[in-house]
Amino acid sequence: MLVFIVPLQSPQVSVDWRRVSTLCEQTLRSICAQAGGEFRVFLVCNEAPAMDFTHPALTIIEEPFPIPGRNTDARMFDKHQKIKRGLLAARGLAPCHVMVVDADDCVSRGLAAWCERRPGHPGWYLRQGYVYHTGSRWMHRWNDFDLLCGSTAIIRCEDADFPRTMSDPKENFIVVDTGHWEFRNPQRTQGRILEPLPFPGAVYFTATGENYTGINLRGWQGRKLLMQKLLSARLLTRRMREEFGI
């Protein structure tokens, strides 16, 4: 079983809660469109998003997490606490793999089936993915995607990788304590050697109005970056929309 954990920011730190809710619903629909393979989804939040979407594999965990400040460190601590809470919920299911997905990204519909066929594999990092400027007809194929986006690692977890209480130090748990840019390094993954997923696994959305890290494609400047942008462009086709739930 593949477990997806989706931490969601609170309305109090959102620029536009309706927009945050819409993006989160798109993320959940994308995850729940898995084409085969057993999976579960835990959305962890202060307040459930304003949406009508439900799914048998989706569990929404609402708890009164402390409202963070608007600085990046405070918001990352909040995110880590919500990931830890998701791991607590997943522990009893004994999943073979866990993936954290940001609440404004989309994922490939083939991830759960891929993991189900490889239950003993240490995991994968998403070296390939797409960057999408909201509202565009184009996506950009991005190499080294795991260095850009937070939704970029699928980790095999044993019982010791799941916290038993919220007070357990985050340093004990690979899913909580490892930054997305570190999953290539076995020293940071407790000796687990993750391989690159051999297909684009996710879509990173920019210009949502809620991103507090990352890039904006329309801000690219200079000949080199412009050339990279042009060469990486892919038309957003119906097949790609279906693959990622866009």
Side-chain angles (χ1 to χ4, degrees):
M1 177 191 294
L2 172 59
V3 163
F4 298 91
I5 298 174
V6 184
L8 179 64
Q9 67 189 38
S10 67
Q12 290 86 345
V13 298
S14 302
V15 177
D16 181 344
W17 179 243
R18 184 177 296 276
R19 177 63 173 155
V20 169
S21 296
T22 299
L23 290 167
C24 183
E25 180 176 352
Q26 179 176 248
T27 296
L28 295 174
R29 288 182 181 274
S30 170
I31 295 171
C32 292
Q34 295 299 300
E38 189 177 3
F39 69 97
R40 290 285 302 275
V41 187
F42 292 97
L43 174 67
V44 188
C45 53
N46 289 70
E47 180 178 327
M51 66 178 189
D52 296 325
F53 179 68
T54 61
H55 190 278
L58 172 63
T59 299
I60 299 177
I61 301 172
E62 289 184 80
E63 292 192 2
F65 295 92
I67 304 301
R70 290 184 177 273
N71 66 79
T72 299
D73 288 344
R75 295 178 70 165
M76 288 304 297
F77 178 79
D78 177 65
K79 179 178 180 179
H80 291 159
Q81 289 295 99
K82 289 170 179 174
I83 294 171
K84 189 188 292 186
R85 181 64 183 86
L87 286 172
L88 274 172
R91 181 172 176 267
L93 301 175
C96 62
H97 292 94
V98 172
M99 181 179 187
V100 175
V101 181
D102 288 342
D104 54 0
D105 295 335
C106 289
V107 302
S108 166
R109 65 200 300 261
L111 297 181
W114 175 267
C115 293
E116 187 167 274
R117 294 193 295 268
R118 300 160 179 83
H121 196 284
W124 303 267
Y125 64 91
L126 277 57
R127 187 162 192 170
Q128 303 175 62
Y130 290 99
V131 177
Y132 179 59
H133 185 98
T134 305
S136 174
R137 295 175 55 216
W138 300 87
M139 297 205 301
H140 296 267
R141 178 75 170 261
W142 201 275
N143 292 321
D144 294 331
F145 185 72
D146 57 306
L147 306 182
L148 169 70
C149 177
S151 307
T152 50
I154 301 170
I155 307 296
R156 174 165 175 78
C157 293
E158 307 292 345
D159 183 67
D161 296 309
F162 295 92
R164 286 162 173 74
T165 70
M166 286 298 292
S167 61
D168 289 342
K170 74 181 183 71
E171 291 81 5
N172 293 353
F173 308 108
I174 179 176
V175 175
V176 183
D177 192 44
T178 309
H180 62 83
W181 59 91
E182 299 176 305
F183 281 108
R184 301 184 187 190
N185 183 355
Q187 292 181 340
R188 294 292 297 140
T189 57
Q190 301 175 9
R192 275 163 272 207
I193 300 176
L194 306 190
E195 296 180 355
L197 192 73
F199 57 90
V203 177
Y204 174 73
F205 284 72
T206 71
T208 64
E210 298 289 342
N211 302 96
Y212 58 95
T213 60
I215 64 169
N216 185 330
L217 286 179
R218 290 184 180 176
W220 286 15
Q221 297 177 352
R223 292 183 180 180
K224 183 177 180 180
L225 287 178
L226 177 60
M227 183 61 67
Q228 183 180 349
K229 180 178 179 181
L230 293 173
L231 292 175
S232 67
R234 303 289 188 276
L235 184 65
L236 182 56
T237 63
R238 179 177 178 180
R239 185 193 67 78
M240 292 175 74
R241 289 185 182 277
E242 291 176 349
E243 174 67 19
F244 295 101
I246 300 174

